[in-house]
């Protein structure tokens, strides 16, 4: 094997990142001249690098090669999509050929066919399922109505939107859209700070984050923050200190009601698959868990429980509590399979601040689960801690074990832990089970016994219908 | 002499379908993404002007690559005083070698999307951080408290894995 390969990797990295010095470029060229294997490696690296950039819409494709979107409504006088798209693209190419821009020519007659200017904002399609766009396309969007299917695209401002039908939205400009119905996930990255989502009851100003917004059937707006921070304002007013209802940070969720436009904590949020995303309005709810709530009465408290219906599995999301790049997940114990008994359970994400102790004592908080049918409730308990009385009384230890991680090194729960072979901090949890034989509300108590200091991890919860 | 009849819808469809592959070709010959969009635009214009020369029985991408190669060379001349990653000899040699990869290159983007889905979540998140959110590798390394060299090596391996996946699945119906 070529011992110099790491050096070529480093040179390649410097070239791809645009940080290579003159000396490094000289070495790089020498390698490419002398080695077919290095050229082959370079092709692989650069081609994938370029395709990833293209796929994510960072390549600045000429505006004149923008395609027009398909009309969603079926109208008899509309040219079928593939042909229509080709014609519009042809018009773009003709525009290039003639050397002047579309906007100077409202209607361009080309071979007897009329082609209209497309309004809206330019978006790059990143993913599409059941939607009339192809990955890699650039289209102009102003208004979008989708009943089914899913779509992910990058707006020219840099914001990435991800959603599934039904959704009804309108772009006001590349930094502002109006969501009339449905759920969207927004990732503004570093480029589109200041992106605003308007809804009938709120304006959500994104100041560098990922968040989900849903406009429910009654017109209320749900907002969940997955990373960073958003400001929530009253609808219909300028964004100002006076109209601001709250600032929400990662792991928090709130609802602005249609009835009185007041902001309230959203206790529970059903997520889409295993990803940090709000789901579409028509996505199935948990068949077992109707509601999750707690007894925390605290002003400006917006922490949220999450539910992944049927989502318990290796790598399932355990909590919204950490930055996206340090997402806490459930894992099997090394060398063992993930417990079969837990697989496919509805997974309830809890949050660490629930376990926060005050004045040296464990919190008195409890969690209520409203359950619609006979089921097994599982509590995944940090094995560093002593199981509290309510857990020992109502549940039995199944003997199964799972891990949560990776934890940040500054988390109190892992302060006595050594990193594993991968340099990560993971906690072991014992799996406790309680069978609930009919529809009921089940209370889960605080994670530690009263009067004890509690520097351990908050427990996780899973629920599975009994056969 | 420029063609005055204009590109047909079929021609434009082929052109649009080839954009990502042409972009990757141009980036490879430039040694980076700087100015690649300008070169792609120039190439598109030349292709439209010369559309009458295209033989529809021939692979479109190979024909388009030839124009792209000339545009890269022209661009290099206009940038003679700027720092260039590759030299002329390398560009010519590599363009010839890359043209051998033209077959089915226009479907690589779709296959790549599926290959990304097959990465483990941690690797997918890294790809997303670098390419979707546009973070520099150095910043990602700093954020994750990892040495930059180790992170650069990891990205190298990830791109290699994706390239291998695309190569072995191109032309297949789908990935399981």
């Amino acid at each position: 094997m070529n011992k110099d390969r790491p050096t070529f990797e480093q040179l390649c990295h410097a070239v791809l990142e645009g940080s290579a010095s003159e000396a490094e470029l000289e070495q790089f060229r020498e390698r490419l001249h002398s080695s077919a294997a290095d050229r082959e490696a370079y092709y692989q690296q650069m081609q994938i690098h370029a395709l990833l950039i293209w796929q994510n819409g960072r390549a600045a494709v000429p505006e004149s090669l923008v395609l027009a979107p398909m009309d969603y409504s079926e109208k008899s006088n509309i040219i079928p999509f593939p042909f229509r798209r080709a014609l519009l693209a042809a018009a773009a190419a003709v525009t290039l050929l003639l050397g002047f821009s579309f906007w100077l020519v409202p209607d361009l007659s080309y071979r007897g066919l009329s082609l209209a200017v497309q309004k809206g904002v330019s978006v790059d399609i990143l993913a599409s399922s059941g939607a009339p766009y192809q990955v890699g396309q650039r289209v102009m969007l102003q208004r979008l109505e989708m009943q089914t299917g899913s779509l992910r695209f990058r707006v020219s401002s840099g914001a990435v939107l991800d959603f599934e039908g039904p959704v009804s939205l309108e772009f006001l400009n590349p930094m502002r859209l109006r969501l009339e119905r449905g759920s969207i996930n927004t990732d503004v990255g570093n480029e589109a700070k200041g992106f605003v989502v308007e809804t009938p009851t709120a304006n959500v100003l994104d100041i560098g984050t990922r968040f989900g917004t849903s406009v429910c059937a009654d017109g209320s707006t749900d907002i969940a923050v997955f990373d960073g921070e958003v400001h929530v304002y009253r609808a219909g007013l300028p964004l100002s200190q006076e109209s601001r209802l709250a600032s929400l940070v990662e792991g928090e969720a709130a609802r602005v009601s249609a009835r009185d436009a007041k902001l309230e904590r959203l206790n529970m949020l059903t997520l889409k698959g295993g990803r940090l995303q709000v789901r579409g309005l028509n996505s199935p709810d948990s068949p077992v868990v109707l509601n999750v709530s707690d007894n925390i009465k605290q002003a400006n408290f917006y922490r949220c429980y999450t539910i992944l219906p049927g989502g318990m599995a290796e790598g399932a999301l355990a909590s919204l509590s950490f930055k996206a790049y340090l997402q806490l997940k459930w894992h099997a114990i090394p060398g063992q399979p993930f417990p079969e008994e837990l697989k496919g359970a509805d997974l309830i994400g809890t949050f660490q601040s629930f376990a926060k102790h005050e004045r040296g004592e464990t919190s008195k908080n409890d969690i209520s689960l409203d359950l619609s049918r006979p089921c097994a409730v599982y509590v995944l308990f940090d094995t560093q801690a002593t199981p509290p009385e309510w857990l020992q009384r109502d549940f039995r230890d199944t003997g199964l074990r799972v891990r949560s991680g990776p934890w940040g090194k500054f988390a109190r729960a892992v302060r006595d832990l050594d990193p594993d072979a991968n340099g990560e901090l993971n906690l072991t949890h014992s799996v406790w089970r309680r069978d609930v034989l009919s529809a009921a509300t089940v209370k889960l108590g605080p994670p530690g016994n009263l009067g004890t200091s509690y520097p351990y991890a908050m427990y996780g919860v899973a629920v599975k219908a009994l056969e | 002499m420029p063609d005055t009849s204009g590109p047909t819808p079929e021609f434009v469809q082929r052109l649009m379908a080839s954009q990502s592959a042409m972009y990757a070709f141009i980036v490879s010959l430039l040694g980076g993404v700087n100015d690649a969009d300008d070169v792609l635009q120039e190439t598109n214009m030349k292709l439209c002007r010369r559309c009458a020369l295209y033989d529809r029985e021939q692979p479109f991408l190979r024909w388009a690559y030839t124009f792209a190669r000339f545009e890269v060379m022209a661009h290099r001349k206009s940038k003679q005083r700027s720092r260039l990653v590759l030299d002329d000899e390398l560009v010519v040699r590599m363009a010839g070698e890359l043209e051998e990869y033209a077959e089915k290159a226009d479907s690589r983007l779709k296959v790549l999307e599926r290959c990304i889905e097959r990465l483990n979540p941690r690797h997918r998140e890294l790809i997303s951080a670098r390419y979707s959110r546009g973070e520099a590798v150095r910043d990602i390394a700093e954020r994750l408290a990892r040495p930059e060299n180790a992170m650069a090596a990891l990205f190298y391996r990830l791109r290699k894995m994706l390239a291998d996946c695309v190569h072995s699945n191109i032309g297949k119906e789908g990935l399981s």
Side-chain angles (χ1 to χ4, degrees):
Chain A
M1 200 65 201
N2 188 348
K3 286 181 181 176
D4 293 331
R5 180 65 65 192
T7 305
F8 184 76
E9 284 180 16
Q10 288 166 357
L11 291 171
C12 224
H13 165 69
V15 168
L16 262 65
E17 292 292 302
S19 60
S21 65
E22 273 305 331
E24 286 173 325
L25 285 180
E26 189 56 43
Q27 282 182 50
F28 186 64
R29 287 190 284 265
E30 282 176 20
R31 296 287 299 253
L32 292 179
H33 273 294
S34 61
S35 166
D38 285 347
R39 284 198 302 279
E40 175 73 24
Y42 168 74
Y43 299 150
Q44 283 190 337
Q45 292 291 312
M46 198 53 113
Q47 298 258 305
I48 294 297
H49 178 67
L51 288 173
L52 286 168
I53 287 173
W54 179 273
Q55 181 202 39
N56 285 286
R58 290 181 184 277
V61 187
E63 284 293 323
S64 42
L65 275 172
V66 164
L67 299 180
M70 175 187 181
D71 284 340
Y72 278 79
S73 55
E74 291 293 328
K75 294 178 186 170
S76 59
N77 61 344
I78 284 181
I79 303 165
F81 175 57
F83 189 50
R84 174 189 171 85
R85 192 184 62 181
L87 288 176
L88 287 158
V94 167
T95 304
L96 281 172
L97 190 62
L98 296 177
F100 53 79
S101 305
F102 250 149
W103 56 85
L104 297 177
V105 193
D107 280 347
L108 176 63
S109 180
Y110 175 60
R111 290 183 180 173
L113 294 165
S114 178
L115 299 164
V117 175
Q118 297 298 315
K119 293 179 180 175
V121 302
S122 168
V123 308
D124 295 301
I125 306 298
L126 307 179
S128 173
S129 172
Y133 297 106
Q134 293 177 356
V135 174
Q137 262 188 316
R138 175 166 289 191
V139 300
M140 297 296 283
L141 275 186
Q142 184 172 36
R143 187 170 177 78
L144 182 63
E145 304 247 3
M146 247 175 67
Q147 292 306 314
T148 57
S150 64
L151 203 56
R152 180 158 57 96
F153 56 74
R154 180 187 296 280
V155 188
S156 55
S157 59
V160 174
L161 302 183
D162 198 322
F163 53 86
E164 56 188 19
V167 73
S168 175
L169 61 82
E170 180 180 11
F171 276 104
L172 305 177
N173 61 52
M175 288 293 285
R176 196 176 189 105
L177 77 76
R178 180 179 295 142
L179 178 65
E180 296 164 355
R181 176 179 174 238
S183 301
I184 60 169
N185 295 282
T186 309
D187 183 348
V188 305
N190 292 320
E191 296 177 17
K193 289 180 182 174
F195 191 87
V196 175
V197 177
E198 285 188 18
T199 75
T201 56
N203 291 330
V204 186
L205 171 67
D206 192 326
I207 53 176
T209 188
R210 287 195 295 144
F211 70 104
T213 315
S214 299
V215 174
C216 313
D218 69 349
S220 298
T221 302
D222 290 351
I223 304 138
V225 182
F226 303 128
D227 187 16
E229 183 177 5
V230 302
H231 295 330
V232 184
Y233 298 85
R234 289 185 200 286
L237 295 172
L239 307 186
S240 66
Q241 198 62 39
E242 289 71 37
S243 64
R244 190 194 292 187
L245 291 168
S247 293
L248 302 177
V249 298
E250 170 197 306
E252 295 186 333
R255 169 170 292 176
V256 183
S257 74
R259 190 178 64 255
D260 53 12
K262 284 188 176 168
L263 188 86
E264 58 193 28
R265 177 185 172 204
L266 191 63
N267 279 318
M268 183 186 83
L269 180 71
T270 307
L271 294 177
K272 175 181 170 184
R275 305 170 71 182
L276 278 172
Q277 290 188 327
V278 293
R279 70 208 179 109
L281 294 185
N282 290 346
S283 296
D285 279 316
S286 161
V288 185
V289 184
L290 298 178
N291 192 30
V292 183
S293 58
D294 58 35
N295 61 348
I296 299 174
K297 307 290 182 201
Q298 188 179 326
N300 303 320
F301 185 81
Y302 298 107
R303 296 309 300 265
C304 173
Y305 300 98
T306 56
I307 295 191
L308 290 176
M312 188 48 148
E314 168 66 31
L317 190 69
S319 175
L320 286 182
S321 299
F322 281 78
K323 293 276 183 195
Y325 55 86
L326 268 182
Q327 286 169 19
L328 272 188
K329 295 184 174 172
W330 293 113
H331 297 287
I333 299 294
Q336 297 180 18
F338 195 84
E340 202 62 40
E341 184 174 339
L342 285 177
K343 283 184 185 173
D346 291 351
L347 177 56
I348 297 172
T350 55
F351 44 87
Q352 185 64 14
S353 58
F354 184 94
K356 183 176 67 177
H357 63 95
E358 292 172 7
R359 292 188 295 276
E361 290 193 354
T362 305
S363 73
K364 296 172 183 171
N365 299 332
D366 58 44
I367 298 176
S368 294
L369 306 178
D370 294 343
L371 305 168
S372 65
R373 56 200 285 190
C375 59
V377 177
Y378 297 93
V379 170
L380 315 178
F381 193 79
D382 183 352
T383 53
Q384 298 177 108
T386 304
E389 187 270 334
W390 64 267
L391 186 62
Q392 299 202 50
R393 182 189 64 227
D394 299 336
F395 288 73
R396 66 177 169 81
D397 187 347
T398 61
L400 299 171
R401 298 291 182 266
V402 291
R403 294 191 308 160
S404 66
W407 287 78
K409 59 184 175 184
F410 299 113
R412 286 166 55 82
V414 293
R415 64 182 180 183
D416 296 327
L417 240 57
D418 292 325
D420 65 12
N422 295 323
E424 291 179 344
L425 294 166
N426 290 286
L427 285 174
T428 301
H429 295 250
S430 52
V431 180
W432 297 68
R433 171 175 174 155
R434 173 183 171 183
D435 288 351
V436 180
L437 300 179
S438 62
T441 295
V442 168
K443 272 203 163 78
L444 308 176
N449 289 312
L450 285 176
T452 58
S453 171
Y454 199 79
Y456 306 116
M458 175 56 186
Y459 55 78
V461 182
V463 179
K464 198 172 192 179
L466 292 174
E467 296 295 332
Chain B
M1 183 174 169
D3 169 56
T4 52
S5 62
T8 63
E10 181 195 351
F11 178 88
V12 176
Q13 265 196 328
R14 291 193 181 194
L15 177 63
M16 296 310 297
S18 303
Q19 290 293 289
S20 61
M22 288 168 60
Y23 180 75
F25 179 81
I26 289 166
V27 168
S28 299
L29 294 187
L30 289 176
V33 296
N34 287 348
D35 301 329
D37 48 337
D38 292 339
V39 175
L40 177 60
Q41 182 175 19
E42 286 298 320
T43 306
N44 285 333
M45 290 181 67
K46 295 280 166 52
L47 289 168
C48 286
R49 286 192 181 122
R50 300 284 177 172
C51 61
L53 299 177
Y54 172 60
D55 175 358
R56 56 191 293 182
E57 301 302 319
Q58 298 303 312
F60 180 85
L61 204 50
R62 269 183 170 262
W63 183 71
Y65 275 180
T66 308
F67 284 77
R69 177 210 297 218
F70 289 136
E71 284 311 313
V72 169
M73 296 303 284
H75 180 78
R76 290 170 58 84
K77 277 184 187 164
S78 72
K79 294 274 179 182
Q80 265 183 350
R81 291 185 184 177
S82 307
R83 198 176 73 144
L84 296 170
V85 174
L86 306 173
D87 56 41
D88 284 352
E89 187 187 334
L90 265 178
V91 171
V92 171
R93 182 177 192 171
M94 292 167 74
E97 290 176 350
L98 280 167
E99 281 167 13
E100 298 301 316
Y101 294 101
E103 193 184 358
K104 294 178 180 168
D106 48 2
S107 58
R108 276 188 307 203
L109 196 63
K110 273 187 185 171
V111 180
L112 176 62
E113 180 87 8
R114 293 181 181 173
C115 289
I116 291 170
E117 287 172 6
R118 294 175 67 178
L119 292 176
N120 71 42
R122 193 168 306 162
H123 289 164
R124 220 166 34 229
E125 163 59 21
L126 285 172
I127 291 290
S128 174
R130 174 67 185 89
Y131 292 102
S132 180
R133 300 203 291 279
E135 291 182 60
V137 171
R138 180 187 297 122
D139 295 340
I140 297 170
E142 189 178 327
R143 178 161 61 74
L144 298 178
R146 297 277 175 89
E148 185 186 350
N149 277 350
M151 190 56 70
L154 177 55
F155 270 99
Y156 188 96
R157 289 198 301 277
L158 285 175
R159 283 188 292 262
K160 171 102 174 53
M161 282 165 58
L162 289 171
D164 291 343
C165 174
V166 169
H167 177 73
S168 55
N169 288 285
I170 198 107
K172 292 182 182 174
E173 279 297 312
L175 306 180
S176 54

